[in-house]
Amino acid sequence: MNKKRLGVWLSVLAIVGVLAGCGKTDAGSADKKEVRIGYFPNLTHIATIVGLENNYFAEEFGEDIKVTTKTVSNGGLFMEAMASNSIDIGTVGPGPVINYYVKDPKYHIVSGAVNGGAVVVANGKSGINELADLDGKKIAIPVIGSTQDVMLRKALKDVDLQAKANGGTVEFFAAAPADTATLFIQDSVDGAATQEPWGYILQNQADGKLILDWEDFAWGKESTNTVVATSDAFLKNEKLSTAYLTAHAKAVQFIQDEPEKAQELVVKHIKDLTGKEIASDELEAAFTRIEVTTEVNEDVLQEMADISQEAEYIKTNEIDGLIDLEAIKKITAN
């Protein structure tokens, strides 16, 4: 176990938690002079981080628009911030967006960002060697209703298991990804369905055993783990929404062309944000488990909605109108 590195990561997330909410708020009017971008401080949000580090957002919005940021630790908090008008646009998993959309169809997915980036890791002391061994075990997920929650439910179906809350035998335990390594060390959970770099950290620092790699977990490479989401109000301002998506597409292209430089920017971003430096070898290993893209697999999102309805997180799986990719397709076609 590498306790020193684990301590660095825990310190990073603790500081990020304090920083969350530091972005300024605005009334969100049509003539607004500020755009508030939300994201998580982890690898699956690399497109937003690179866009900020390379000043792509500032360049596309221009001098008259001030760009501010807000970091959050899970999708539920992201959507709450968007609902309370303190985030205009940003990257979040599709699960929370779907949960909010079926209640209020003013939210939209307007681009892909990252596929994959999620794995299932077992506690080394749990006796879990394969997915079927999750029977009767307690598994950590970032938050109830999260994308990893839905992905785990899909994976369990393949071995005829289901969540205890729905009459099955697998206990879902909501815990912040930053806390999962500690839960492993304390033997408080038997495994975790989590995003990167936390999956690799559980393996490298908490004696975790990889059970499902990113290509095998739920929809694998086809899963749209992180997407760009926004509201009707922001989309109506075509100048702002086009500027954001242009910067986002530039960031995705940069990461595809310059993966090593992109990883260096993530390390720098976290260090500037928290004062802590992340080990580049850990980030490099976790980077191999993501696929950066602007594409969205609409069939996968519908299946996520179906599973969320089965879990009784939402009352309907009707998500027509959720996905609006017209603008990003025009931008990436040029």
Side-chain angles (χ1 to χ4, degrees), residues 34-151:
E34 182 181 37
V35 170
R36 298 149 304 177
I37 298 172
Y39 65 104
F40 304 4
N42 68 38
L43 188 58
T44 54
H45 293 250
I46 187 172
T48 304
I49 292 172
V50 167
L52 292 169
E53 285 293 328
N54 281 348
N55 291 318
Y56 292 156
F57 295 113
E59 290 172 1
E60 293 299 328
F61 284 121
E63 295 180 353
D64 295 335
I65 304 296
K66 182 179 181 180
V67 175
T68 57
T69 60
K70 181 180 182 71
T71 56
V72 294
S73 58
N74 64 61
L77 292 175
F78 181 100
M79 294 307 300
E80 286 178 12
M82 185 169 283
S84 63
N85 195 33
S86 56
I87 287 177
D88 295 307
I89 191 168
T91 37
V92 63
V97 188
I98 290 171
N99 293 343
Y100 269 71
Y101 179 79
V102 298
K103 299 173 185 175
D104 186 348
K106 71 179 181 181
Y107 305 103
H108 300 283
I109 290 170
V110 293
S111 175
V114 163
N115 288 347
V119 295
V120 176
V121 180
N123 188 328
K125 302 174 186 175
S126 67
I128 299 172
N129 295 304
E130 58 184 2
L131 188 61
D133 294 336
L134 267 58
D135 187 10
K137 302 296 187 181
K138 180 190 288 187
I139 307 301
I141 56 172
V143 67
I144 298 297
S146 64
T147 303
Q148 284 71 45
D149 177 329
V150 177
M151 294 173 73

